[in-house]
Amino acid sequence: MFKINVLSTLVGLILIVMGVVLLGGGIWLISLGGSCYYLLCGAVMIACAILVFRHNKLALVIYAILLCFSTIWAVWEVGLNWWQLVPRLWVWFVMGWVLLLPPIRKTMMNNRLSSIMLLTSLIVTTVVGVASLFTSPGVIEGKIENTNLFRANPMQVAAEDWIAYGGTNAGLHYSALNQIVPNNIHKLQEVWRIRTGDMPTADDPVELTNENTPLKVNDKLYTCTAHGWVLALEPETGKTLWKFDPAISNSGAGTFKGWAHMTCRGLSYYDSDRYLKQFAKDKIALKVKNSSCPRRIYLPTADARLIALNADNGQLCDSFGVNGQVDLTQGIGKFTPGGYYSTSPALVTKQLVIVGGHVTDNESTNEPSGVVRAFDIYDGHLVWNWDSGNPDATTPLPKDKKYTRNSPNVWSITSADEALGLVYLPLGNQTPDQYGGNRTPVVEKYAAGIVALDITSGKVVWNYQFTHHDLWDMDVPAQPILVDLKTTQGIEPAVIQPTKQGSLYVLNRKTGQPIVPINEVSVPQGAVKGDWTSPTQARSQLNLLPPPLREQDMWGATPFDQLSCRIKFKSLRYEGQYTPPSLQGSLIYPGNVGVMNWGGVAIDPVRKIIFASPNYMAFTSKLIPQAEVPKNEANASEGAGLQPNQGAPYAVRIQPFLSLVGFPCQAPSWGNVAGINLANNSIAWIHPNGTSRDNTPFIPLPFPVGVPAMGGPMTTAGGVAFLSGTLDQYLRAYDITNGKEIWSSRLPAGGQATPMTFWGKDNRQYIVLVVGGHGSFGTKMGDYIIAYALPKNKYEVFRGKIN
């Protein structure tokens, strides 16, 4: 009897604690205009606890009614959605079974009718839960069957080699190789793995990233590491042929810890023979051919240099700049160490190597210029510069002058159409991101859009802005994709621009006019004092924008942290997409990580399919008057935490929208794969992608919730797409026509990079991925490069063809 009393007392105490928490939180939520469920639930639970203490059989009856009511309420709010029902009900469900335990029932005179009532309510909840397992809210099941295949432009697609970051300067992330297909991919296996030796150290910034996509050209595989090491590998074995260490300088600080981040997304390659064949009129190609470096690798470094290496042996090309290097700080002015450099590969096109630069977000209003510069491919002299703060002055800046401070930059990957003579720039913002009261008219014109420049002169040919007066860090993060599309007007030269806000803008790349309609939609107003908001924003009719968040979309591991998320939601300012930052705190959804980021999308130009990996994570943005900024709070990374914004009237605190225990406050899925049919510009299929395996405490639980990805996809003529950037450590393959996952490989670290493919000398198609993790994304760090191929002599050997 003593044990029974202790057990029932413990159960009663648990019920009353839960009831008090729910009652208090419920009152708070109602005061904010939210649901009254939690208050009612808390009151009933306290009553039930009192009855348990009194050993009254009505405790079971009341709890049965509470469980049935909770189940009905949950279904009314979210329907038969397993991942939203579970956190609402599982705690009540478990407590129901606890109350039915014989030691508990005996203390309440073991009333059969009350026990049957509670058992019935548990069965009802079970049936609802099981039924929800067979539904897939938000999933679109479809198949793209474009039987009228389109002939791809051979200048836009990679073939046996992978010669630029996106395969080619068109950036499709598509290869014409077709040895690996859905029917044989189950045989795909790891064939080699190396470790570069470049691991994080105690002196590195938090955001040390491994985002490199290797190049395969000149019978070598070229890759760079986070610290800027360049490795040339034997493509079929991974054997190191040569290595170059740029010995990045930390300006005498002894550490890189104060830097915003350190990364190398890629290298660039120039081959004079190839350019002589394509562009015979370019005399510069003859100069390079006759030099000691006819084949070159261009490396941007984290200490703001652009280095030219002999692609054959890794030696510096002395004819380029000063001893093989160009100082990118020329004309830039002062900046915090690590606050200016090119994180993305330079664009090599015709006789030029064109480079932009990362500028640290939200540090101050007096940051380096976002100038884009074109250097001579041979000797590195400056040919032209385009400064978005002074866009008409493209003549090389004299050495005693400085570029416009704080002008919008180009930190991502650029593209080029050599036939049209245009280079396409994805523009960033003028920092700070969340306050724009002091921006100039010229900045307002070019920021957060795409700009097409004449390759020869750097003069603006056209521009199109995607976010007007951007206050949400919705800069253009991904490489513009150049592809020829069949439309009602015939074959049009298109540029497709993926964006953080979810729109895929499709423009004529010659004129900048929309091919897919773009609507100017009304958006929330009411910026903070001293700032303003645009009355409308540009939204493409082709988009992967999620629906606006509602209170019932709040999530959490338990009803308690879900309640906390509801309180947070109702406490924040939120009026849908483009809700301005505020002193109250605003909910920004999609968040500043974006629906799409630097990984962009991949396009199969033959099947006319876009393969995308959209993310859906909400962030909060709270402006803080400078006089109220905590003096002892350390500045955080660019993506989260306190952003100082020195020189602006407000600092800002940016945070992911998380529950008390660290789960996202909005319900899954947080990351999908999606297929868009370019024949009719419709979403054909969309599925959650990735699992919680590497993000659950204590033990790995691979729930297929759909997790964010940081990294881009690649697709091939074989009808297979590859993606590796998810929070769980996998490289996955998909049938591009329907999005079904058809293969996966467990990785030893985070795969936050975009895979690539090439044809080996042994007549095999290889898939290669850099596997090194991402410091601020929270994945496991490493230093791996891994290659996959089909087994030798077990398949029909044939080369991929351009259809």
Side-chain angles (χ1 to χ4, degrees), residues 8 24 44 49 51 69 89 97-98 139 195 203 214 238 325 529 597 631 635 728 757 763 790:
S8 63
V44 172
L51 292 171
F69 172 73
L89 297 175
W97 284 109
V98 170
V139 173
R195 302 195 69 170
D203 292 329
Q325 305 179 65
K529 182 181 178 181
N597 208 286
K631 303 301 181 184
N635 298 338
D728 59 349
T757 186
N763 290 325
L790 296 174

Side-chain angles (χ1 to χ4, degrees), residues 173-482:
H173 290 277
Y174 171 83
S175 170
L177 298 178
N178 59 9
Q179 187 181 80
I180 300 170
V181 296
N183 287 342
N184 66 17
I185 197 169
H186 63 280
K187 300 179 182 178
L188 193 64
Q189 61 187 24
E190 182 179 321
V191 291
W192 60 257
R193 169 189 302 207
I194 69 160
R195 302 195 69 170
T196 66
D198 189 357
M199 287 290 289
T201 72
D203 292 329
D204 288 327
V206 172
E207 193 163 315
L208 188 80
T209 67
N210 293 275
E211 300 174 350
N212 175 252
T213 296
L215 307 180
K216 192 274 182 177
V217 67
N218 192 33
D219 292 328
K220 296 175 181 63
L221 192 71
Y222 299 100
T223 188
C224 62
T225 70
H227 290 95
W229 301 355
V230 179
L231 281 74
L233 309 176
E234 187 174 72
E236 295 79 14
T237 66
K239 176 184 176 182
T240 300
L241 302 175
W242 57 257
K243 174 185 172 182
F244 174 82
D245 182 356
I248 295 171
S249 169
N250 55 19
S251 303
T255 179
F256 298 109
K257 291 185 73 66
W259 292 31
H261 46 65
M262 185 177 289
T263 191
C264 178
R265 288 194 185 91
L267 304 163
S268 310
Y269 177 77
Y270 183 88
D271 186 332
S272 60
D273 287 336
R274 188 171 72 88
Y275 272 84
L276 275 172
K277 292 177 183 177
Q278 287 185 268
F279 310 109
K281 295 180 181 179
D282 291 341
K283 296 179 182 179
I284 195 71
L286 291 172
K287 294 182 182 179
V288 177
K289 184 174 179 63
N290 293 329
S291 76
S292 60
C293 287
R295 291 164 295 279
R296 299 178 175 210
I297 290 292
Y298 292 90
L299 165 72
T301 67
D303 53 3
R305 290 174 287 159
L306 181 63
I307 298 176
L309 300 174
N310 187 315
D312 295 333
N313 56 29
Q315 299 299 308
L316 289 166
C317 295
D318 291 336
S319 62
F320 185 77
V322 178
N323 298 322
Q325 305 179 65
V326 167
D327 180 8
L328 296 179
T329 66
Q330 181 67 42
I332 293 298
K334 295 182 179 180
F335 59 89
T336 303
Y340 175 82
Y341 71 98
S342 183
T343 54
S344 296
L347 176 71
V348 169
T349 176
K350 291 192 175 181
Q351 71 272 29
L352 301 174
V353 52
I354 302 172
V355 62
H358 144 82
V359 176
T360 300
D361 286 343
N362 305 326
E363 184 170 327
S364 77
T365 58
N366 186 28
E367 293 302 305
S369 172
V371 64
V372 175
R373 287 171 284 185
F375 298 97
D376 181 276
I377 202 83
Y378 171 63
D379 61 20
H381 78 268
L382 184 61
V383 177
W384 55 256
N385 37 233
W386 185 75
D387 178 356
S388 57
N390 188 17
D392 297 326
T394 61
T395 302
L397 189 75
K399 289 189 176 181
D400 60 338
K401 301 293 184 181
K402 296 287 189 291
Y403 295 108
T404 308
R405 296 292 287 178
N406 218 38
S407 58
N409 64 326
V410 177
W411 61 268
S412 192
I413 304 98
T414 55
S415 302
D417 185 329
E418 285 92 351
L420 289 178
L422 297 178
V423 57
Y424 302 89
L425 311 179
L427 261 289
N429 293 314
Q430 184 181 72
T431 185
D433 292 317
Q434 285 76 26
Y435 180 82
N438 300 323
R439 295 175 186 168
T440 64
V442 70
V443 162
E444 296 288 2
K445 178 178 179 179
Y446 292 110
I450 187 171
V451 178
L453 303 181
D454 179 84
I455 288 178
T456 304
S457 66
K459 295 290 186 180
V460 175
V461 177
W462 60 260
N463 78 287
Y464 201 107
Q465 188 174 71
F466 303 133
T467 308
H468 313 314
H469 193 67
D470 182 11
L471 301 176
W472 307 272
D473 192 17
M474 292 297 164
D475 53 0
V476 184
Q479 183 177 21
I481 300 171
L482 315 183

Side-chain angles (χ1 to χ4, degrees), residues 546 590 593-597 613-617 670-672 707-710 777:
V593 171
V595 176
M596 289 162 279
N597 208 286
S613 55
N615 295 323
Y616 299 110
M617 288 291 292
W670 308 296
N672 295 336
V707 295
M710 183 64 73
F777 201 54

Side-chain angles (χ1 to χ4, degrees), residues 377-681:
I377 202 83
Y378 171 63
D379 61 20
H381 78 268
L382 184 61
V383 177
W384 55 256
N385 37 233
W386 185 75
D387 178 356
S388 57
N390 188 17
D392 297 326
T394 61
T395 302
L397 189 75
K399 289 189 176 181
D400 60 338
K401 301 293 184 181
K402 296 287 189 291
Y403 295 108
T404 308
R405 296 292 287 178
N406 218 38
S407 58
N409 64 326
V410 177
W411 61 268
S412 192
I413 304 98
T414 55
S415 302
D417 185 329
E418 285 92 351
L420 289 178
L422 297 178
V423 57
Y424 302 89
L425 311 179
L427 261 289
N429 293 314
Q430 184 181 72
T431 185
D433 292 317
Q434 285 76 26
Y435 180 82
N438 300 323
R439 295 175 186 168
T440 64
V442 70
V443 162
E444 296 288 2
K445 178 178 179 179
Y446 292 110
I450 187 171
V451 178
L453 303 181
D454 179 84
I455 288 178
T456 304
S457 66
K459 295 290 186 180
V460 175
V461 177
W462 60 260
N463 78 287
Y464 201 107
Q465 188 174 71
F466 303 133
T467 308
H468 313 314
H469 193 67
D470 182 11
L471 301 176
W472 307 272
D473 192 17
M474 292 297 164
D475 53 0
V476 184
Q479 183 177 21
I481 300 171
L482 315 183
V483 62
D484 298 335
L485 296 179
K486 187 175 182 180
T487 70
T488 56
Q489 307 301 317
I491 305 300
E492 289 196 64
V495 53
I496 300 177
Q497 183 61 68
T499 60
K500 290 182 178 180
Q501 60 265 42
S503 281
L504 292 112
Y505 298 94
V506 185
L507 310 174
N508 183 300
R509 67 175 181 270
K510 185 175 182 180
T511 66
Q513 295 301 305
I515 294 175
V516 174
I518 299 172
N519 302 321
E520 288 289 335
V521 298
S522 298
V523 295
Q525 297 296 289
V528 73
K529 182 181 178 181
D531 207 345
W532 57 278
T533 52
S534 171
T536 63
Q537 293 290 350
R539 180 173 296 162
S540 173
Q541 289 187 11
L542 179 61
N543 67 74
L544 292 165
L545 184 68
L549 290 174
R550 307 161 300 169
E551 183 191 333
Q552 56 262 47
D553 296 319
M554 295 303 100
W555 202 70
T558 69
F560 305 102
D561 56 327
Q562 185 182 87
L563 172 58
S564 76
C565 285
R566 286 177 180 251
I567 292 171
K568 280 186 179 182
F569 178 78
K570 300 299 288 190
S571 300
L572 293 165
R573 179 180 178 186
Y574 180 65
E575 299 155 38
Q577 191 179 27
Y578 302 113
T579 298
S582 64
L583 296 171
Q584 170 187 348
S586 296
L587 183 62
I588 310 301
Y589 182 68
N592 60 296
V593 171
V595 176
M596 289 162 279
N597 208 286
W598 56 264
V601 300
I603 293 182
D604 184 329
V606 177
R607 295 177 178 85
K608 294 170 284 190
I609 299 172
I610 295 177
F611 183 96
S613 55
N615 295 323
Y616 299 110
M617 288 291 292
F619 275 67
T620 62
S621 176
K622 181 179 175 64
L623 296 173
I624 305 170
Q626 290 290 359
E628 301 175 15
V629 175
K631 303 301 181 184
N632 58 349
E633 183 173 348
N635 298 338
S637 67
E638 288 180 303
L642 180 67
Q643 314 288 304
N645 293 354
Q646 295 174 10
Y650 305 95
V652 64
R653 182 173 287 110
I654 304 170
Q655 299 288 358
F657 187 39
L658 302 178
S659 74
L660 291 175
V661 295
F663 288 102
C665 264
Q666 93 262 14
S669 171
W670 308 296
N672 295 336
V673 287
I676 296 172
N677 188 344
L678 280 171
N680 56 21
N681 296 317

